[in-house]
Amino acid sequence: MICPNCNSENREGAKFCDECGARLIDLDMPAVVPDQAEEPADLPTDEGADQQAGEGAAEGECLSQTPDAAPNAQEEPTEASGSGGTMEMDPLEASKHAVISRVPEVTPLSGLDVESQVMFDVTEFEAAHPQADLTRKIPQVNEGVVGADYKAPEKAWSQGDTMEMKRTGAAETPESTDFRAPDPNDKNRRKEARALRKKQKAAERAAKGGGKGGKIAIIVIICLLAVGAAAALGTYYLELWGGKTLPDCAGETQADATYVLQNNGFDVRVETVASDDTEGLVLMSDPAPGTRLEKGTEVVLYVATSRVIPDVHLLSVEDATAKLAASGYENITDVSYEKSDEYDNQVLSISPESGSKAKSTAKISLVVAQAYTVPDVSGQTEQAATETINNAGYTVYVAYMESTVVPEGMAISTYPAAGERVESGTTITLNVCQMRATRLQQAARDYFASNKSIVLGTTNYEVDSLDSLSYLGNNQVAFSVTARPYTTFLGQVIYLQARSVEGTLTFDDNDKVVSIS
């Protein structure tokens, strides 16, 4: 049941609104204003409306015959005619009469007339709603349709009679009721209101979880999402979409790896890498294996190729070592030097030879050029210094000089000096420390070794042996020899008996004998 006052929905069969307390009637029934003589143009013409009109007429007749209710149901008492006084009504009584005037159809209980029935309903409403204020404004209700022969009852005070009403003390006079014709669009608005309330209730149920149906719907949605996700993952795993997984081609030949990658839709580019592995095998790929790639993506294959000894001829030892290391060769086990007049500290040869294939663990030998330089022989004996200089590619000339620092017989220096670059075959002067006495004594020995005959005074001697030498100073050396005097007679050499002969050799600054005495 819809309340005509506040449009609240109530349970079927309710007589009063649970929200505002207004009398509930069937709002679908058309209404007319009692004072109008003609039926409204927009009244429904169906059979139900005619039946309700007949029932309204019967009700009107019944109400008109009610002695006390009819005169008061049409309008509220204002001023008593004839007596000139003011007629007051109790608010409760006025509400009862207003309800009676607005009831389209009353089915009296057995033994009760219409007014008694209304009073019974009012009493029942008061019992059910003790806090209700019956003096409030009576809600607008549709009037029942009266018959054509209905005649409004005459007012009791039209002949000057006086109606005596019970005073209500300080109670306020109820407000007058505003009667209006029903709106033919009310029914559509009520349907819209019902539909809106249903939507609101459905929204409330959905907000609370939607009840059992909402839970089922959520479960179904979750299941559908799970199935969709599983299908997407399955098709992705089967590589039906999202590209292809890059296979691992390491260890495969270049031809096999290229075929596999191109068969999966990838572009292939080959880069060779010097390696100790078998030539032609794939070492790695870029991107790495297992990467998910779209078709047409370029994949770089790094293929092994044999290592080759690089060419380091005439490079310095430092540059040659760096170049070998860049090619993977770091095991340089031997570096030898060879004298050269053209190059210095440059690689003359390498083993294994340049251009040959070898693994990175191969032993590398280098032959490096070394320029001819005068060796340092200071402090060596004359004999040792001479051998060192000869081995350096030079010839030796020995020069003697006195020194108070270097022991006698030891090398003092060379010319050119030690460390100077000199072409091979050059004569190097070796300076050896030797005292004047020693040097002249040696010069004397050399003299007697080369001269077997000497002249002392006027006698010629043939020397058989040198017996002794002694340095006298002033470039003089005393000697003693065993010699035989001889003479020539008639072209014949006559030797006398050998004897010991002593004498003196005088030398110049160049250690040459200038005289013998």
Side-chain angles (χ1 to χ4, degrees), residues 448 454-457 459-469 478-486 497-504 516-517:
F448 285 111
I454 61 174
V455 179
L456 290 176
T459 305
N460 295 322
Y461 293 92
E462 185 176 342
V463 178
D464 291 336
S465 64
L466 177 62
D467 296 334
S468 64
L469 293 171
F479 63 89
S480 174
V481 297
T482 299
R484 292 179 297 170
Y486 66 90
Q497 187 177 1
R499 66 189 67 177
S500 175
V501 178
E502 295 180 354
T504 300
I516 182 170
S517 57

Side-chain angles (χ1 to χ4, degrees), residues 108-131:
L109 299 176
S110 59
L112 295 178
D113 55 8
V114 175
E115 183 176 3
S116 300
Q117 174 66 49
V118 172
M119 294 304 296
F120 180 84
D121 292 339
V122 172
T123 305
E124 183 181 359
F125 176 81
E126 290 177 344
H129 304 277
Q131 301 299 326

Side-chain angles (χ1 to χ4, degrees), residues 308-311 349-358:
V308 178
I309 301 295
D311 184 10
S349 63
I350 183 173
S351 178
E353 295 181 357
S354 299
S356 61
K357 295 181 180 180

Side-chain angles (χ1 to χ4, degrees), residues 187-261:
K187 186 174 183 179
N188 294 333
R189 285 198 295 271
R190 287 194 296 272
K191 291 181 179 180
E192 294 175 357
R194 292 191 191 98
L196 180 59
R197 283 193 294 273
K198 289 181 180 179
K199 291 181 180 179
Q200 292 175 348
K201 291 181 179 179
E204 292 176 357
R205 287 194 298 270
K208 295 179 180 179
K212 183 176 181 180
K215 293 180 180 179
I216 294 175
I218 293 173
I219 293 173
V220 170
I221 293 173
I222 294 174
C223 292
L224 292 177
L225 292 176
V227 171
L233 291 175
T235 53
Y236 182 81
Y237 179 79
L238 295 175
E239 298 185 350
L240 299 180
W241 63 278
K244 296 285 186 178
T245 302
L246 184 64
D248 187 3
C249 298
E252 301 289 339
T253 63
Q254 177 182 339
D256 292 343
T258 302
Y259 173 78
V260 171
L261 293 176

Side-chain angles (χ1 to χ4, degrees), residues 217-499:
I218 293 173
I219 293 173
V220 170
I221 293 173
I222 294 174
C223 292
L224 292 177
L225 292 176
V227 171
L233 291 175
T235 53
Y236 182 81
Y237 179 79
L238 295 175
E239 298 185 350
L240 299 180
W241 63 278
K244 296 285 186 178
T245 302
L246 184 64
D248 187 3
C249 298
E252 301 289 339
T253 63
Q254 177 182 339
D256 292 343
T258 302
Y259 173 78
V260 171
L261 293 176
Q262 290 180 347
N263 193 42
N264 281 275
F266 301 117
D267 294 337
V268 179
R269 180 164 59 89
V270 177
E271 295 285 345
T272 57
V273 179
S275 173
D276 293 338
D277 293 331
T278 304
E279 188 172 7
L281 294 182
V282 176
L283 301 177
M284 59 180 294
S285 63
D286 184 25
T291 306
R292 196 71 173 256
L293 303 173
E294 295 292 338
K295 289 185 178 181
T297 304
E298 183 183 71
V299 178
V300 181
L301 293 180
Y302 294 92
V303 180
T305 184
S306 298
R307 296 182 187 275
V308 178
I309 301 295
D311 184 10
V312 294
H313 182 62
L314 297 183
L315 293 180
S316 66
V317 176
E318 295 76 11
D319 293 344
T321 302
K323 189 172 182 179
L324 288 170
S327 298
Y329 299 102
E330 298 181 356
N331 190 18
I332 301 175
T333 59
D334 183 36
V335 178
S336 60
Y337 292 91
E338 183 179 306
K339 295 294 183 178
S340 174
D341 290 328
E342 297 181 4
Y343 309 106
D344 181 31
N345 197 39
Q346 294 178 341
V347 176
L348 299 178
S349 63
I350 183 173
S351 178
E353 295 181 357
S354 299
S356 61
K357 295 181 180 180
K359 292 187 176 181
S360 60
T361 56
K363 295 180 179 180
I364 307 297
S365 298
L366 297 176
V367 177
V368 181
Q370 187 179 48
Y372 285 97
T373 56
V374 177
D376 185 6
V377 294
S378 60
Q380 297 182 10
T381 64
E382 180 181 346
Q383 182 180 358
T386 301
E387 292 178 357
T388 301
I389 294 173
N390 289 333
N391 293 335
Y394 303 105
T395 60
V396 179
Y397 169 76
V398 178
Y400 298 99
M401 61 178 58
E402 295 182 6
S403 175
T404 58
V405 178
V406 179
E408 188 176 8
M410 305 298 290
I412 299 174
S413 61
T414 60
Y415 180 81
E420 291 188 14
R421 297 181 60 177
V422 181
E423 292 185 1
S424 62
T426 303
T427 299
I428 304 299
T429 301
L430 175 61
N431 298 315
V432 179
C433 178
Q434 192 175 57
M435 301 306 292
R436 186 67 175 168
T438 303
R439 188 168 66 255
L440 292 180
Q441 288 176 5
Q442 181 63 38
R445 290 187 186 94
D446 294 338
Y447 176 78
F448 285 111
S450 59
N451 297 280
K452 296 298 183 181
S453 297
I454 61 174
V455 179
L456 290 176
T458 60
T459 305
N460 295 322
Y461 293 92
E462 185 176 342
V463 178
D464 291 336
S465 64
L466 177 62
D467 296 334
S468 64
L469 293 171
S470 62
Y471 179 67
L472 300 177
N474 297 323
N475 293 331
Q476 293 182 342
V477 176
F479 63 89
S480 174
V481 297
T482 299
R484 292 179 297 170
Y486 66 90
T487 185
T488 303
F489 183 74
L490 299 175
Q492 295 291 322
V493 178
I494 300 173
Y495 289 97
L496 301 178
Q497 187 177 1
R499 66 189 67 177

